[in-house]
Amino acid sequence: MSGIEEIKKKLETFKRKFYKRQSILGTLIFFIFSTSLFLILNSVEYQFWLSKALRTILFFSFLIFSITMLVLLVLKPLLQLLQLRKGISDEKAAEEVAKSFPELEDKLSNTLQLSKLSSDENQLLLAALEKKAADFRDISFIQAVDFSSVKKYSYILGSVIICFLLVSFINPSIIKESSSRLVNFLSL
């Protein structure tokens, strides 16, 4: 395998891990916001017994918000992970990798751009590309994907779930009755 092919393979591995992280983060953020909004809407409905028009607006706003978040934060990265949707280019992936490895700077992007220009007839350029590619052999691009933010969002989701459970146990009617009135927005 040539050096350029090895770099492209490493970039593909980086992109898969990048999309995996994006999918996980998106799922966490989706649940954080959807659950929080659900609690807020139920609390407002429980306190104020809103009119049919307001309940209709709240219900459909929640529905649109949740579906939009699901598509943008969860499904889009998941489709990119499964390669059913076009993802980031190798050049953009190289920029992301370079952010984590300052010693790379623009070297990785430059190498990718040069590889596009090279032809089999220009042996000098091919040799230079192989030399540049050898500089990247010891670098694991997947280390550039930082999963520390996943841990932070997991804690936030945990606190939102604890809050939801507390509300459910302390005053279950906030969840049961308010949800029922919001879902059946045309009655009452």
Side-chain angles (χ1 to χ4, degrees):
M1 177 184 327
S2 75
I4 296 300
E5 290 171 352
E6 188 176 333
I7 288 173
K8 289 187 178 192
K9 185 177 178 186
K10 283 183 172 187
L11 285 173
E12 284 302 315
T13 305
F14 165 80
K15 287 193 260 186
R16 279 194 305 276
K17 191 166 183 180
F18 176 79
Y19 293 132
K20 185 177 184 180
R21 185 197 70 173
Q22 292 298 99
S23 296
I24 293 169
L25 276 178
T27 302
L28 290 172
I29 292 169
F30 168 74
F31 281 114
I32 289 168
F33 281 106
S34 294
T35 306
S36 299
L37 185 60
F38 178 79
L39 276 174
I40 292 168
L41 293 179
N42 278 310
S43 298
V44 167
E45 167 57 27
Y46 183 77
Q47 289 296 320
F48 302 111
W49 280 73
L50 303 172
S51 67
K52 290 180 185 180
L54 278 175
R55 285 196 315 252
T56 304
I57 290 169
L58 288 178
F59 176 75
F60 284 109
S61 296
F62 176 75
L63 209 58
I64 290 169
F65 174 79
S66 295
I67 291 170
T68 303
M69 293 245 327
L70 181 69
V71 168
L72 294 177
L73 297 178
V74 179
L75 294 179
K76 183 179 171 186
L78 196 58
L79 290 174
Q80 290 169 329
L81 175 66
L82 299 172
Q83 297 178 345
L84 298 174
R85 186 175 191 278
K86 189 174 191 279
I88 60 174
S89 65
D90 285 345
E91 289 78 17
K92 181 68 178 163
E95 289 174 21
E96 291 293 322
V97 169
K99 287 178 186 176
S100 297
F101 298 106
E103 68 271 11
L104 293 182
E105 295 175 19
D106 293 333
K107 294 177 188 175
L108 187 55
S109 294
N110 292 343
T111 304
L112 288 172
Q113 290 168 356
L114 279 175
S115 71
K116 287 183 178 180
L117 299 175
S118 72
S119 64
D120 293 332
E121 295 138 14
N122 192 341
Q123 293 300 322
L124 184 60
L125 183 58
L126 287 174
L129 282 172
E130 288 301 318
K131 168 80 172 85
K132 281 188 162 283
D135 295 342
F136 306 118
R137 281 207 174 98
D138 297 332
I139 299 173
S140 176
F141 293 171
I142 59 173
Q143 291 176 349
V145 180
D146 182 23
F147 275 87
S148 65
S149 56
V150 170
K151 189 176 182 181
K152 179 179 87 171
Y153 284 106
S154 296
Y155 289 136
I156 294 170
L157 179 60
S159 63
V160 168
I161 290 172
I162 289 171
C163 185
F164 179 82
L165 291 174
L166 282 173
V167 169
S168 297
F169 288 123
I170 292 171
N171 192 354
S173 61
I174 291 176
I175 303 297
K176 291 179 183 175
E177 291 174 15
S178 299
S179 294
S180 177
R181 285 194 307 269
L182 284 170
V183 171
N184 300 314
F185 50 88
L186 292 179
S187 60
L188 295 174

